[in-house]
Amino acid sequence: MPRIYIENLGSHVGEEIRISGWLYNKRSSGKIRFLVIRDGSGLLQCVMMKGTVPDEVFNRFDMLTQESSLNVYGKIKKEDRAPGGFEMEVSNLEIIQVAKEYPITPKEHGVEFLMDLRHLWLRSSRQHAILRVRHRIIKSIRDFFDNRGFVLMDAPIFTPAACEGTSTLFETDYFDLGKAYLTQSGQLYGEAGAMAHGKVYVFGPTFRAEKSKTRRHLTEFWMVEPEVAFNDLNDNMELAEDFLEYIVSSVLKNCQQELKVLERDTKFLESVKKPLPKISYDEAVEILKKKGIAFEWGNDLGGTDETVISEQFDRPVIVHRYPAQIKAFYMKRDPKNPNLALAMDVLAPEGYGEIIGGSQREDDFDALIGRLDEHKLPHSAFDWYLDLRRFGSVPHAGFGLGIERTVAWICGLEHVRETIPFPRMIYRLNP
Ligand code: 4AD
Ligand code: MG
């Protein structure tokens, strides 16, 4: 009998098939036994009746514990009341392994307990739904750039220097060459790629030795970073708008079932359409002051500040032109006001805060040397990067989108720790 995945049952109604999976739940009523099986692609209710299967098969029901692995055989029929809309009339059941007492039960468990059992927690329906949405988000990101002629540029993980400030570097010994650092961002390599291919995207894991224990910070997270030659700050903002609209609409189109499991109110997602509101940092400061928050011009927006600003809008908001002093060395200054950087952040609505950070890049050799000095960064480690300004320098811009914060926002989650299969945080390295 052919093995079929539960998600494909629609085209097998009336057929005798095999499902291989794990026992999610079971109950009995008189001479009927109900088993809910999960196979990774969905849930299926299977019904076994005394008398219609050999007693030996019928009695196997009693041996089955939660998460036991098994094969079930039988005919598929439509059943609107069952989860997934189908049901199997079981003709045979084979046990592969009887599971030991499973530690995760339908009762409430604390988050730390579940995080210690992350390798098993992944099987639970909410976690399953979240990682399916994550998969869809990543697929839509790749589709978006691939469809627009961007070339994927893989950047190294071991790097000789900082990209996003020296305070969050993970350091390691690197043979006879001294210290290496885990990458904080692939951007600088993306810039080299953009000068070779015009438009590229870097997509990979990035690392920050973040001391902050907030619901938005991981020490290892995934970032996608487009970089485009000849784009300025406005082009960059427009790219981000098209990008976010595309991702959210793809999730809405393909993940309705997952969003339902997550009880996500999708009305906030349906409004993610171009144009997104754009405000300057100065305007953002005005909003904070009006809300009675003591905020001094020149400071970076903190988590709470971002929450307050993003709550003013029904869709993501772009904040541009931040004070240069709080931004990275590679950002170009605003020609109209050299105190400002041509930076842009995108803040997600409903209080989720920054999901994108980006800018137009400093393309002038001398100005960039000045920036390196201001940030006390060694010229030697950046000499290759300076070459990009020596040989055919052009205006260019790009941004980085954090995958986990985006998943948290789209799924409506409290904390980024559930958005990645195995989260790494200041206090968690296991499992
Ligand atoms: O704003 P960031 O630091 O920007 C950069 O790294 C640029 N080099 C990107 C570029 O222009 N190519 O980080 C970009 C995004 C943030 O908006 C956030 O979504 C995410 O990366 N991020 C984190 N996500 C989880 N945990 C952390 N510790 C994060 N730090 C940044
Ligand atoms: Mg940022």
Side-chain angles (χ1 to χ4, degrees), residues 24-257:
Y24 194 68
N25 225 326
K26 69 174 190 180
R27 69 193 161 87
S28 50
S29 151
K31 293 186 169 165
I32 312 180
R33 301 288 177 269
F34 295 96
L35 306 103
V36 178
I37 313 281
R38 56 167 200 90
D39 75 344
S41 79
L43 294 176
L44 175 66
Q45 175 162 287
C46 303
V47 186
M48 190 161 64
M49 227 126 31
K50 197 168 171 65
T52 65
V53 294
D55 280 353
E56 184 205 346
V57 170
F58 191 78
N59 293 337
R60 287 179 194 154
F61 177 91
D62 295 332
M63 294 161 65
L64 285 171
T65 52
Q66 187 188 345
E67 287 302 311
S68 288
S69 45
L70 70 171
N71 295 314
V72 285
Y73 302 80
K75 199 192 246 174
I76 296 300
K77 62 172 201 191
K78 255 195 103 31
E79 173 55 76
D80 292 336
R81 288 165 302 176
F86 299 101
E87 195 172 77
M88 176 187 269
E89 292 166 6
V90 177
S91 57
N92 193 11
L93 182 162
E94 292 166 350
I95 297 176
I96 302 172
Q97 193 236 352
V98 174
K100 299 228 155 57
E101 196 181 336
Y102 195 63
I104 303 176
T105 58
K107 72 164 201 211
E108 289 271 313
H109 296 287
V111 170
E112 286 309 307
F113 174 83
L114 291 167
M115 272 296 166
D116 286 339
L117 294 174
R118 183 65 176 162
H119 48 293
L120 300 178
W121 193 24
L122 294 176
R123 304 179 188 189
S124 301
S125 59
R126 270 182 65 82
Q127 302 308 313
H128 184 266
I130 293 167
L131 291 190
R132 292 225 154 190
V133 174
R134 178 186 171 102
H135 169 79
R136 174 56 57 177
I137 289 171
I138 290 174
K139 177 170 167 43
S140 67
I141 287 170
R142 292 192 179 281
D143 289 345
F144 177 85
F145 290 123
D146 294 349
N147 292 344
R148 288 169 171 241
F150 283 66
V151 172
L152 176 68
M153 269 287 294
D154 296 315
I157 304 281
F158 285 131
T159 61
C163 176
E164 296 297 324
T166 49
S167 65
T168 62
L169 282 174
F170 278 111
E171 190 180 286
T172 181
D173 291 326
Y174 200 82
F175 306 106
D176 295 337
L177 299 181
K179 297 286 179 210
Y181 308 97
L182 299 188
T183 186
Q184 298 166 305
S185 153
Q187 177 199 319
L188 306 186
Y189 299 96
E191 290 183 51
M195 300 308 139
H197 294 275
K199 39 189 176 177
V200 298
Y201 65 106
V202 179
F203 199 169
T206 47
F207 306 84
R208 307 264 171 108
E210 297 272 8
K211 303 259 160 46
S212 22
K213 291 190 196 176
T214 78
R215 62 196 186 92
R216 296 170 185 176
H217 288 94
L218 296 167
T219 54
E220 176 177 331
F221 61 98
W222 283 67
M223 186 163 30
V224 60
E225 301 180 84
E227 191 71 33
V228 183
F230 306 104
N231 264 12
D232 63 14
L233 181 66
N234 282 334
D235 302 324
N236 206 33
M237 292 197 273
E238 213 175 302
L239 182 66
E241 287 177 288
D242 285 332
F243 181 54
L244 289 175
E245 181 176 323
Y246 186 87
I247 296 173
V248 170
S249 71
S250 168
V251 171
L252 284 171
K253 194 165 143 214
N254 296 288
C255 298
Q256 280 301 326
Q257 213 175 314

